[in-house]
Amino acid sequence: MFVFLSKLLPLFVYPVGLACLLLAVSLIFNRHRRLRNALVAISLAILYLASNRWVAYHLAQTLEWQYLPPQEFPSVEAVVVLGGGTESRQYPRPAVEVNAAGDRVLYAAQLYREGKAPVLLLSGGTITWQDGGSGTPAEDMASILTAIGIPESALWLQNRSQNTHEDAVYSAEMLKTAGIQKVLLVTSAAHMPRSVALFEHEGIEVVPAPVDFTVTREGMSNLASAGWQSTLISFLPNTSSLGLTTNVIKEYLGIWMYRLRGWL
């Protein structure tokens, strides 16, 4: 039930859901003109601010830049890769595909080939009511990695988890059983603060290896120094910025909820 509620309730806090909720309430109070107008104005303000590139980039930077990659990674006994970067093989997809977070899988392969660890622990299970009978993220990542030449013997699959907390719990169990205490952790940069805290809570020493950065130094610089055309476009609402803002809110909500449950 927690997994279901953790997916359902945030939808009413994310910008689109919250704006729709306020607009629905404004219809209920249609006869109260001032209240109705205030709710409509707040809804529009939420949608505008959330889909503004200036707002989205600055919010995302607060998460993504907490763990910047070092010049050189140490050699460890395992690389842990969190799921979320693949799409299962479902018709009409001809095979397992990578999505916007697919850098996780590709970067893990790069770290393996550089000799940073002899093992890749692939973490991610399936939420049955959401994903149906498709393969787990761990299995999907393994499919891609073996297809690009990573030996199957180097892949450990943890396919029981349904959220990031369980990623840490079940992966830590496997690591400790193998006598491993220090790992490279690969996940999206915005997801890294929550992930590091969870794995450290389970007693695993983590070296963050973030990927999938949205905010770059050049991108931030362009916000302030680009020409008027780029500045104007940055201030206008767009769906990519709305998605980025939503993802940031998702991460902060996750951190808050996990702390309430004592997982961090």
Side-chain angles (χ1 to χ4, degrees):
M1 180 59 70
F2 173 77
V3 173
F4 172 69
L5 292 177
S6 70
K7 301 294 183 183
L8 173 66
L9 297 180
L11 296 177
F12 299 101
V13 181
Y14 297 155
V16 171
L18 182 57
C20 289
L21 182 62
L22 292 175
L23 288 173
V25 174
S26 74
L27 294 176
I28 296 174
F29 292 96
N30 187 51
R31 295 182 180 181
H32 301 267
R33 183 176 178 182
R34 289 185 179 179
L35 178 58
R36 180 198 63 196
N37 291 344
L39 291 171
V40 170
I42 293 171
S43 301
L44 291 174
I46 289 171
L47 289 175
Y48 171 73
L49 291 173
S51 58
N52 180 301
R53 186 177 297 171
W54 280 75
V55 173
Y57 269 38
H58 283 86
L59 286 176
Q61 186 184 30
T62 64
L63 285 172
E64 293 189 352
W65 286 29
Q66 286 189 37
Y67 294 100
L68 297 175
Q71 292 293 325
E72 183 69 25
F73 285 107
S75 295
V76 295
E77 296 178 89
V79 174
V80 177
V81 193
L82 301 189
T86 58
E87 302 293 342
S88 293
R89 182 176 181 177
Q90 299 176 3
Y91 182 83
R93 296 180 189 136
V96 175
E97 298 179 354
V98 295
N99 56 30
D103 304 356
R104 302 181 188 188
V105 185
L106 302 179
Y107 195 49
Q110 178 181 327
L111 291 172
Y112 175 82
R113 287 178 174 141
E114 290 175 355
K116 298 305 179 183
V119 169
L120 301 180
L121 194 164
L122 312 177
S123 181
T126 299
I127 301 174
T128 306
W129 53 265
Q130 178 175 279
D131 303 312
S134 58
T136 66
E139 294 166 341
D140 291 344
M141 288 190 287
S143 174
I144 292 174
L145 287 165
T146 54
I148 60 177
I150 305 300
E152 190 173 345
S153 60
L155 305 178
W156 293 358
L157 273 63
Q158 185 291 104
N159 55 15
R160 299 161 57 195
S161 56
Q162 295 188 332
N163 54 38
T164 311
H165 166 65
E166 293 183 356
D167 278 330
V169 171
Y170 297 142
S171 296
E173 287 180 1
M174 294 177 64
L175 294 167
K176 291 175 181 178
T177 299
I180 297 174
Q181 291 293 329
K182 184 176 182 179
V183 301
L184 290 177
L185 180 61
V186 178
T187 189
S188 298
H191 191 228
M192 187 62 78
R194 179 160 51 130
S195 303
V196 168
L198 287 165
F199 273 82
E200 290 181 343
H201 189 267
E202 297 302 318
I204 301 298
E205 184 180 351
V206 174
V207 178
V211 291
D212 189 26
F213 283 88
T214 302
V215 181
T216 64
R217 182 181 300 164
E218 290 77 8
M220 291 298 291
S221 177
N222 288 338
L223 280 179
S225 60
W228 67 268
Q229 300 97 328
S230 179
T231 300
L232 175 61
I233 290 175
S234 295
F235 272 110
L236 294 177
N238 65 85
T239 55
S240 61
S241 294
L242 179 60
L244 180 57
T245 300
T246 302
N247 190 51
V248 172
I249 294 172
K250 174 186 175 182
E251 285 302 319
Y252 277 118
L253 279 176
I255 292 171
W256 178 68
M257 288 193 301
Y258 281 16
R259 282 178 178 165
L260 284 179
R261 293 185 66 87
W263 292 346
L264 293 179

